[in-house]
Amino acid sequence: MNKLRVGVIFGGRSGEHEISLNSASAIMGALDPDRYEVVQIGISREGRWLIGPGSHSRLIDATNGSQPVSRSESLAMLDPGEFHGSDESRPLDVVFPVLHGPYGEDGTVQGLLEMAGLPYVGAGVLGSAAGMDKIVMKKLFRAEGLPVPEYSWFLAKSIAADPDRVVKSIENTLGYPCFVKPANLGSSVGISKSTDRASLLASLEIAARYDRRIIVEQALPNVREIECSVMGNDEPMVSVPGEITYSREFYDYDAKYLDEEGTQMHIPAEVSDRCRRELQHLAKQAFLAIDCSGMARVDFFVDRETERVTVNEINTIPGFTRFSMYPKLWEASGVSFPKLVDRLVELAIRRRNERNSFSVEKYG
């Protein structure tokens, strides 16, 4: 029996390039070599594509200060139909995109794979785009009746044209403290907490460097940060909840990736049975609200005294190292890392087969 050929896409142009390499390393290591043939597909920081053995190590070298990937090393013209690896007679059976942040988690690569007719792990174009855009995400959550923090959003050019007007609007509707975020970015890049007018002006300026649309959210007091992992297509399953604690003022980039001693995971989270059930229910509803598929991690705020739950956001390609919350929550729920990867591949193929079963009318 032929092995299933899995193309793992990693790297990418976003600021989460290095995190993607770490996630891809764990995933490729978890794919059973007796069942799968892994085809490495790397994307450099410059957007150049490398396919085949050694692509992962080449991008690691470039990240560690070696020469950037040159044009001569990469594909002269990208054609996803050519994703065949070393054996040109056998195309890929499925693709596993491990691209965190813009240019990979936002529907761009998913659209490319759709055009190539390749099944792939994770959310489709719509779910990926909606999950990346914090403004659209919040609107969809609200439309489905999910509890979200109060928020406002602004165009970066409106902020530049009249910052005082924007600040007054935020003060009148949200007040302090509040969080200012680029609408489309991951890993807390460009996010600031504002406690007064001066810090708010500075936060708006920072966020506007990263995106043309800025979201400002009310900072909820005295809350815990709880996360649930979701897996499935139309009938998703939800893991046990886990809690993130950290020593910094909020869960910023340094807390996520640099402060190993100050940031800790508590799995499962110590919450009441009622709160656990609500978290799992809302995680499933958030997943379905953006038409997600395959996998996602849903992040919540939980009031320390009342256990009132508020949905923060959904991540459609969460961190996937063996130490990341997404796989660790599934491990605590009885699904090992290798089995998790197996199921995600199966879900991708099942979704493609279901889509192919629909009738297509031809006109003209």
Side-chain angles (χ1 to χ4, degrees):
M1 184 177 69
N2 288 332
K3 299 178 182 178
L4 205 65
R5 304 195 81 211
V6 182
V8 180
I9 307 182
F10 47 79
R13 295 174 55 197
S14 83
E16 299 170 81
H17 179 94
E18 189 170 357
I19 303 160
S20 169
L21 296 180
N22 294 338
S23 292
S25 179
I27 289 169
M28 291 189 292
L31 288 165
D32 184 352
D34 291 333
R35 296 183 58 194
Y36 304 104
E37 177 190 348
V38 174
V39 177
Q40 297 183 20
I41 306 172
I43 304 176
S44 75
R45 293 185 186 276
E46 300 77 30
R48 292 174 178 154
W49 292 63
L50 299 171
I51 296 182
S55 299
H56 189 264
S57 59
R58 178 64 183 90
L59 290 188
I60 290 177
D61 289 344
T63 299
N64 291 336
S66 181
Q67 289 294 320
V69 175
S70 66
R71 188 177 299 276
S72 61
E73 291 179 85
S74 65
L75 292 180
M77 181 178 295
L78 178 61
D79 178 0
E82 297 296 326
F83 287 172
H84 46 60
S86 58
D87 180 357
E88 296 191 14
S89 65
R90 290 193 59 217
L92 294 179
D93 295 301
V94 65
V95 175
F96 202 133
V98 197
L99 298 164
H100 307 304
Y103 310 110
E105 194 175 348
D106 57 358
T108 50
V109 165
Q110 289 76 12
L112 190 68
L113 297 172
E114 291 280 358
M115 289 193 295
L118 290 168
Y120 54 91
V121 170
V125 176
L126 174 62
S128 297
M132 174 59 63
D133 191 301
K134 295 178 176 64
I135 298 169
V136 173
M137 177 203 307
K138 291 283 198 302
K139 288 182 177 181
L140 290 173
F141 287 170
R142 272 190 172 172
E144 292 297 311
L146 303 182
V148 298
E150 293 297 321
Y151 70 93
S152 298
W153 68 274
F154 306 89
L155 292 173
K157 64 181 181 181
S158 298
I159 297 171
D162 194 348
D164 288 336
R165 184 190 65 79
V166 172
V167 167
K168 289 178 182 177
S169 173
I170 294 169
E171 289 176 335
N172 291 335
T173 57
L174 301 176
Y176 300 107
C178 58
F179 287 103
V180 182
K181 309 176 181 181
N184 287 273
L185 213 58
S187 290
S188 299
V189 176
I191 295 179
S192 306
K193 185 176 183 180
S194 302
T195 55
D196 54 33
R197 178 167 290 201
S199 61
L200 178 55
L201 284 165
S203 296
L204 290 168
E205 181 182 349
I206 290 170
R209 297 174 190 168
Y210 295 96
D211 202 349
R212 55 179 285 272
R213 292 156 70 246
I214 310 303
I215 185 170
V216 184
E217 300 174 0
Q218 185 180 59
L220 301 176
N222 197 33
V223 292
R224 303 162 64 188
E225 298 210 16
I226 309 287
E227 303 176 350
C228 286
S229 295
V230 187
M231 175 172 55
N233 290 334
D234 293 338
E235 299 178 349
M237 303 182 299
V238 183
S239 73
V240 299
E243 180 174 9
I244 295 285
T245 59
Y246 42 87
S247 58
R248 296 175 179 271
E249 187 175 6
F250 69 97
Y251 197 34
D252 60 6
Y253 184 93
D254 289 346
K256 287 183 178 181
Y257 303 114
L258 302 179
D259 190 3
E260 296 181 0
E261 295 183 359
T263 300
Q264 298 181 0
M265 300 178 186
H266 306 272
I267 303 173
E270 293 187 9
V271 295
S272 66
D273 288 343
R274 179 201 62 78
C275 183
R276 174 185 53 78
R277 289 192 297 270
E278 184 177 6
L279 287 164
Q280 291 173 324
H281 171 72
L282 289 174
K284 180 177 180 179
Q285 294 306 112
F287 187 90
L288 296 173
I290 67 165
D291 193 30
C292 199
S293 53
M295 61 180 174
R297 192 192 71 238
V298 183
D299 302 345
F300 301 92
F301 298 123
V302 176
D303 188 279
R304 293 183 182 279
E305 295 181 1
T306 65
E307 285 195 326
R308 179 178 181 270
V309 178
T310 306
V311 182
N312 178 23
E313 63 181 22
I314 188 169
N315 294 270
T316 57
I317 304 184
F320 225 109
T321 72
R322 290 185 179 273
F323 306 102
S324 298
M325 183 65 98
Y326 183 82
K328 288 182 74 67
L329 287 174
W330 279 120
E331 185 177 23
S333 303
V335 183
S336 68
F337 197 105
K339 187 62 178 177
L340 174 61
V341 173
D342 287 344
R343 289 191 183 179
L344 291 173
V345 169
E346 292 167 4
L347 285 166
I349 294 172
R350 188 184 307 166
R351 185 182 61 174
R352 189 274 310 271
N353 292 343
E354 183 181 59
R355 182 180 297 133
N356 289 348
S357 69
F358 297 130
S359 298
V360 178
E361 296 290 341
K362 296 183 179 181
Y363 299 94

